[in-house]
Amino acid sequence: RVPIPGGIPSPKFDEASEKELVETLARYPDSASATLPVLWIAQRQFGWLPQEVLELCAQRLGLPVARVEGVASFYTMFKFKPTGLYHIQICRNLSCAMFGAERITERICKKLGVKIGGTTKDNLFTVDQVECLAACGIAPAVQVNEDFHGTMKGEKLDQLLEVIVEEEKKRGTRP
């Protein structure tokens, strides 16, 4: 996982993010301790963390870019490539694998017409496999953006996707 340069030229925090950033930095006596919250603020605004955004975060934190990159690349929750509006992550670790994660992955990829790591043509969904979602007790686990869904089976997965598509239709973002 390596940040991609050229994603967002000359990024700047918008007014809301800037306000949250200032409040966040004020809570930490050592700016390095604010690295994770600052990365979250940046990812929420920009949708992902290309090289230029990591440089902006490092500048605001007063840290070397390599340190901010190191923190961001350690955690799977930070995205180094653009993703769909709904980022679907399927756990592939032992418990989830034993309870059918591979079948879930195949089903969702077939239903959406994408491969693992792919994004639908309408940019609504991106599907990824992750090493662990720390949800072994509800295996197989799927995370959609920041929401966890456990004991995921075929019909339950279909219903989840249908709910998302219907919500987007109500918002007027989908036909």
Side-chain angles (χ1 to χ4, degrees), residues 117-138:
T119 301
T120 57
K121 291 178 183 172
D122 62 0
N123 288 317
L124 189 59
F125 297 103
T126 296
V127 178
D128 281 314
Q129 286 184 315
V130 294
E131 193 54 42
C132 186
L133 291 174
C136 300
I138 57 171

Side-chain angles (χ1 to χ4, degrees), residues 81-175:
K81 64 179 183 176
T83 60
L85 185 60
Y86 294 91
H87 187 200
I88 301 170
Q89 299 175 84
I90 305 159
C91 179
R92 65 177 179 194
N93 215 328
L94 184 59
S95 294
C96 289
M98 289 175 55
F99 284 96
E102 191 61 38
R103 287 189 304 275
I104 294 297
T105 303
E106 289 170 6
R107 185 178 185 120
I108 197 164
C109 287
K110 183 177 180 182
K111 187 168 185 76
L112 297 176
V114 298
K115 294 181 180 179
I116 295 168
T119 301
T120 57
K121 291 178 183 172
D122 62 0
N123 288 317
L124 189 59
F125 297 103
T126 296
V127 178
D128 281 314
Q129 286 184 315
V130 294
E131 193 54 42
C132 186
L133 291 174
C136 300
I138 57 171
V142 173
Q143 183 175 343
V144 180
N145 294 344
E146 296 176 18
D147 298 324
F148 282 90
H149 303 273
T151 57
M152 192 56 67
K153 302 292 181 203
E155 289 178 15
K156 188 174 178 182
L157 175 66
D158 293 344
Q159 290 172 346
L160 175 63
L161 294 176
E162 288 168 16
V163 166
I164 291 170
V165 169
E166 286 304 313
E167 286 178 11
E168 290 304 312
K169 284 181 181 177
K170 287 178 187 175
R171 289 187 187 136
T173 60
R174 298 287 172 258

Side-chain angles (χ1 to χ4, degrees), residues 3-117:
I4 301 170
I8 301 173
S10 305
K12 291 182 175 40
F13 287 111
D14 62 24
E15 189 175 324
S17 295
E18 180 66 30
K19 181 177 187 257
E20 186 178 3
L21 179 79
V22 169
E23 291 169 357
T24 298
L25 290 172
R27 287 195 308 264
Y28 295 91
D30 177 9
S31 66
S33 300
T35 304
L36 286 174
V38 168
L39 288 168
W40 269 118
I41 293 166
Q43 183 166 277
R44 191 176 324 115
Q45 177 181 329
F46 298 106
W48 62 300
L49 299 173
Q51 184 67 38
E52 297 83 355
V53 172
L54 292 172
E55 290 169 4
L56 173 65
C57 291
Q59 175 191 8
R60 296 303 301 273
L61 289 162
L63 297 173
V65 176
R67 180 146 182 203
V68 174
E69 286 176 3
V71 171
S73 65
F74 179 79
Y75 294 98
T76 60
M77 62 194 170
F78 294 117
K79 301 180 273 186
F80 292 128
K81 64 179 183 176
T83 60
L85 185 60
Y86 294 91
H87 187 200
I88 301 170
Q89 299 175 84
I90 305 159
C91 179
R92 65 177 179 194
N93 215 328
L94 184 59
S95 294
C96 289
M98 289 175 55
F99 284 96
E102 191 61 38
R103 287 189 304 275
I104 294 297
T105 303
E106 289 170 6
R107 185 178 185 120
I108 197 164
C109 287
K110 183 177 180 182
K111 187 168 185 76
L112 297 176
V114 298
K115 294 181 180 179
I116 295 168

